[in-house]
Amino acid sequence: MVEIVPASSSGKAVVPAPGSKVTDMARVLRKVLVHTGKAAWIFGTTMIVLAVPLIIEMDREQQLMEMENQQMGVLAGPGGPGLPGAAPAPAK
């Protein structure tokens, strides 16, 4: 069986020397991942604090408008003037 990572004479895996390109790249990758995670956390919490209440309020406003339109239709009754902006009833 062939080992992917050759072992040193002491039997431990070979670790790149400090300051080598591999350790530098690993350090940079770790920093990028940490900063990306922090940015995602900031964006997510900002959206929860700012956008969600706005969406809820817009939904409430839409429901209120629909309820008012339904009440206007009930108040107008059959043969009444109907809602403002609605097409007139056909003449008989």
Side-chain angles (χ1 to χ4, degrees):
M1 189 158 94
V2 178
E3 292 185 39
I4 296 174
V5 178
S8 65
S9 60
S10 65
K12 295 183 180 177
V14 177
V15 178
S20 72
K21 289 183 181 182
V22 174
T23 56
D24 289 343
M25 189 177 355
R27 187 178 304 120
V28 168
L29 180 62
R30 184 177 189 289
K31 285 183 180 182
V32 167
L33 290 175
V34 167
H35 289 298
T36 302
K38 286 180 181 180
W41 173 259
I42 291 169
F43 178 75
T45 54
T46 301
M47 291 303 292
I48 289 172
V49 169
L50 297 177
V52 171
L54 177 65
I55 292 170
I56 291 171
E57 189 60 34
M58 289 172 59
D59 186 50
R60 283 184 188 164
E61 182 69 24
Q62 180 67 29
Q63 288 177 353
L64 180 65
M65 290 174 62
E66 288 175 6
M67 187 176 68
E68 287 175 354
N69 287 339
Q70 287 176 354
Q71 288 177 354
M72 290 296 291
V74 170
L75 290 176
L83 295 175
K92 293 184 177 182

